[in-house]
Amino acid sequence: MSPELSDDAGRPRVVVIGGGFGGIAAALRARAKGYAVTLIDRCPRLGGRAQVFEKDGFRHDAGPTVLTAPFLFEELFALFGRNIADYVKIVPLKLWYRFRFDDGDHFDYGGGIEDTLAEIARIHPPDVEGYRRLLEHSQRIYDRGFTELSDRPFHRFWFMLKQVPHLLRLRADRSVWQMVSKYIQHDKIRQAFSIQPLLVGGNPFDTTSIYGLIHFLERAHGVHFAMGGTGALVAAFEKLMREQGIAIHLDTTVQAIEVEQQAVRAVRTADGRRFEAEHVISNVDPVHLYDRLLPRDTVKLSARIKARHAEQSMGLFVLFFGTERSYPEVAHHTIWMGPRYRELLNDIFHNGVLAEDFSIYLHRPTATDPSFAPAGCDSFYALVPVPNLKAGIDWSVEGPRLQQRIVDALDATILPGLKTSIRADFHMTPEQFDQRYLSPAGAGFSIAPHFHQSAWFRFHNRGEGPRNLYLVGAGSHPGAGLPGVVCSAKVVDRLLPQAAVRVRQVPARLVPA
Ligand SMILES: Cc1cc2nc3c(=O)[nH]c(=O)nc-3n(C[C@H](O)[C@H](O)[C@H](O)COP(=O)(O)OP(=O)(O)OC[C@H]3O[C@@H](n4cnc5c(N)ncnc54)[C@H](O)[C@@H]3O)c2cc1C
């Protein structure tokens, strides 16, 4: 523990509800500000959606696997004068994603810009120049949307108004697909460069082109992997948190937040405990927070309206499996595109239909770190975007059927022999996202990144109700994905006052003469 944080007596208290990356980052920032910090989460491990599953010698990261902007993690260690490299090894990947199309063709994306340009030239030479212009456009959005605004509070309407001219200039009214299509002609390359919103829960045809900044974010900072997986990154944070004296309570569900005179006083847990606090930072889904945890009359109308009309992101079906053999020719990250793109996304986002076809994000961590599986074997997860629970799909029936279709499709294409070599398989449906993480509608990424649910329109980082309540995480500004949720804690850092430490009264007889 830093010497200056060694004594909690007299420090004002912060309780963080939820131990996702947003909650972890917020807890560390509050601690660095001098608060006594307690973090409470209902999962058995820290990390929120970044849980770790282990079965029969195969290990799986349950959630995020692609690390972009690692400097955001480094900053959190630097708050305490620590170097992240002493806690976890983060390595850059040379090949970021391999896109595999339905006709068997592929597109390798990553490395230096020359590698990407060569791949584009192989498929459609006229798009080489278009790509350069797309990247320039993405950089303009990045400079404004990420560098200048991602850690700024957006709860004041005038602040939003001031951004309008910039948003118009950047054509925030256009979708990511429209933005990409303006510069790129070939359908396969359009698909490859427009999938980024799916990484934060949005349909590329509906998501504001502001999210096109992800493209430059990847180019500027690369795509990385934590050796040992995202779970190892979470473990590194947990070590830092414990060293700094942050109290962590796992397997503990918060049931209610007590409010007195429009200020949060305490948090009550399902096992009957009560944690008093001067400030509460919520990392749970904002719809759950405002609908379930706070007394209704303490929540502002703005938040009640947002919670009632919130459009949740899509659901996720994730199949975890090992193989008795290895597939060395399969990349670390593969985007396996199905036969349909726009129509499939329509089925998922608009029609609420679980189609027969699908696209897959296939994770093979053993490509970079063999410790994920027994020797000579591979560990995989296959993630398929699906409608969320509002579609009323019976997952007890459809889950096993979808699993079989995925195995058949991979066996017939990039994982030949999978049907006989698959081991230790199990899957997660949107129902588990609802039950485990209390994610409304079983959404994979909280509320969708539409324009009308972004910036000022998203759930504010300053609570819309009790005055000492703050929000971090995917449903708050700036949004989902690890860079987004870690930045949400930077916003709260700006809002949370420096802790005023009360000096303990020393009895007069102990004061030296
Ligand atoms: C399968 C998958 C793959 C992804 N891949 C990537 C990727 O590669 N790269 C990337 O950047 N992003 C990725 N994402 C998105 C990213 O993981 C999330 O946006 C981010 O981790 C969400 O963090 P968060 O801070 O919002 O908290 P969450 O991870 O949502 O954690 C919130 C925690 O609060 C707990 N909680 C809820 N209610 C209560 C309560 N009442 N009491 C106590 N605890 C409670 C939940 O159980 C959970 O543990 C992925 C997401 C998923 C699901």
Side-chain angles (χ1 to χ4, degrees):
M1 195 187 312
S2 310
E4 62 275 17
L5 290 176
S6 59
D7 186 1
D8 268 354
R11 292 184 181 281
R13 294 152 298 181
V14 163
V15 169
V16 180
I17 313 172
F21 270 84
I24 289 172
L28 286 166
R29 287 188 175 276
R31 187 61 177 153
K33 287 199 120 148
Y35 289 91
V37 180
T38 300
L39 183 146
I40 303 171
D41 193 289
R42 69 196 306 273
C43 287
R45 297 183 191 230
L46 208 59
R49 281 153 219 258
Q51 295 291 297
V52 176
F53 299 148
E54 280 163 89
K55 189 170 180 191
D56 301 346
F58 296 95
R59 190 167 74 243
H60 307 280
D61 279 319
T65 56
V66 179
L67 302 185
T68 46
F71 66 90
L72 292 170
F73 305 127
E74 291 162 18
E75 283 174 3
L76 292 166
F77 285 84
L79 287 174
F80 304 95
R82 301 288 193 270
N83 183 348
I84 191 171
D86 295 331
Y87 291 74
V88 60
K89 185 174 176 193
I90 296 183
V91 296
L93 296 187
K94 182 153 171 31
L95 174 59
W96 300 341
Y97 305 101
R98 170 166 296 153
F99 291 86
R100 192 266 176 201
F101 297 97
D102 196 45
D103 62 2
D105 195 5
H106 73 280
F107 173 66
D108 279 354
Y109 173 47
I113 185 152
E114 295 307 325
D115 300 311
T116 302
L117 293 176
E119 273 294 272
I120 295 173
R122 182 176 63 75
I123 294 179
H124 191 61
D127 280 340
V128 167
E129 186 47 34
Y131 176 70
R132 288 187 197 279
R133 290 173 48 227
L134 172 66
L135 204 52
E136 280 166 19
H137 186 112
S138 175
Q139 179 170 7
R140 285 197 292 278
I141 305 175
Y142 174 91
D143 288 345
R144 185 97 209 144
F146 189 82
T147 311
E148 290 183 30
L149 296 178
S150 65
D151 62 354
R152 302 293 296 274
F154 254 96
H155 57 275
R156 294 192 198 287
F157 189 61
W158 64 259
F159 187 72
M160 178 75 190
L161 274 184
K162 273 175 36 183
Q163 309 311 320
V164 169
H166 305 289
L167 294 173
L168 290 176
R169 211 171 308 129
L170 293 169
R171 293 300 311 270
D173 57 308
R174 277 199 306 229
S175 70
V176 168
W177 173 261
Q178 286 170 323
M179 167 188 152
V180 171
S181 300
K182 179 167 185 277
Y183 300 108
I184 302 287
Q185 298 166 5
H186 198 279
D187 207 45
K188 283 179 185 162
I189 307 174
R190 282 181 173 176
Q191 290 182 19
F193 289 148
S194 65
I195 60 132
Q196 281 81 4
L198 287 162
L199 309 177
V200 291
N203 179 348
F205 293 89
D206 299 333
T207 302
T208 162
S209 63
I210 292 299
Y211 285 86
L213 69 80
I214 298 175
H215 201 75
F216 186 78
L217 180 84
E218 288 173 345
R219 183 55 71 194
H221 304 289
V223 167
H224 301 258
F225 185 71
M227 296 305 281
T230 308
L233 178 60
V234 172
F237 277 123
E238 181 166 0
K239 183 163 183 266
L240 177 69
M241 291 165 82
R242 292 195 190 275
E243 283 171 0
Q244 298 306 321
I246 294 174
I248 301 172
H249 299 269
L250 298 172
D251 283 314
T252 306
T253 299
V254 170
Q255 206 167 41
I257 298 175
E258 287 178 18
V259 179
E260 268 174 40
Q261 295 171 340
Q262 281 303 305
V264 170
R265 290 284 172 246
V267 156
R268 270 191 286 115
T269 57
D271 58 11
R273 282 181 287 170
R274 185 171 179 276
F275 295 83
E276 291 187 355
E278 278 68 45
H279 299 277
V280 166
I281 303 176
S282 169
N283 180 221
V284 310
D285 193 285
V287 174
H288 173 67
L289 168 74
Y290 288 123
D291 273 357
R292 298 289 162 88
L293 300 186
L294 283 163
R296 194 177 154 71
D297 59 353
T298 65
V299 177
K300 283 189 183 160
L301 186 62
S302 59
R304 290 212 299 265
I305 291 174
K306 276 187 261 190
R308 179 162 328 132
H309 299 288
E311 266 182 71
Q312 297 292 340
S313 66
M314 79 283 196
L316 297 173
F317 179 91
V318 195
L319 168 61
F320 301 91
F321 59 99
T323 52
E324 254 184 2
R325 49 163 290 196
S326 166
Y327 290 91
E329 60 289 353
V330 175
H332 188 138
H333 302 294
T334 301
I335 311 286
W336 186 101
M337 306 293 283
R340 301 184 304 153
Y341 188 56
R342 184 195 288 257
E343 300 78 7
L344 176 64
L345 292 167
N346 266 336
D347 279 347
I348 296 167
F349 286 91
H350 299 305
N351 305 334
V353 166
L354 181 64
E356 284 296 307
D357 60 332
F358 42 77
S359 287
I360 305 170
Y361 157 54
L362 186 70
H363 185 222
R364 179 176 164 258
T366 25
T368 305
D369 181 350
S371 76
F372 274 77
C377 301
D378 266 337
S379 159
F380 288 97
Y381 89 40
L383 180 156
V384 171
V386 294
N388 65 33
L389 292 180
K390 289 190 177 156
I393 293 162
D394 181 350
W395 284 105
S396 65
V397 175
E398 295 300 338
R401 286 190 59 228
L402 180 55
Q403 165 158 345
Q404 193 55 52
R405 293 206 299 280
I406 294 169
V407 172
D408 289 347
L410 290 173
D411 180 289
T413 54
I414 57 174
L415 300 182
L418 176 62
K419 286 186 204 170
T420 50
S421 70
I422 189 167
R423 292 289 172 274
D425 51 294
F426 59 99
H427 63 246
M428 241 179 121
T429 73
E431 280 174 352
Q432 276 86 53
F433 282 85
D434 176 26
Q435 290 154 10
R436 288 187 190 163
Y437 309 132
L438 301 181
S439 190
F445 305 84
S446 188
I447 60 170
H450 299 316
F451 184 73
H452 64 271
Q453 296 193 143
S454 297
W456 181 80
F457 300 106
R458 211 166 178 82
F459 286 99
H460 300 168
N461 306 94
R462 183 183 284 291
E464 292 162 77
R467 60 178 171 271
N468 49 350
L469 174 70
Y470 308 86
L471 274 69
V472 291
S476 65
H477 169 71
L482 297 185
V485 302
V486 173
C487 282
S488 69
K490 289 176 90 169
V491 181
V492 167
D493 197 340
R494 288 176 183 269
L495 299 172
L496 192 67
Q498 194 71 30
V501 181
R502 288 187 303 274
V503 179
R504 277 181 301 171
Q505 294 299 311
V506 182
R509 61 194 162 79
L510 295 181
V511 177

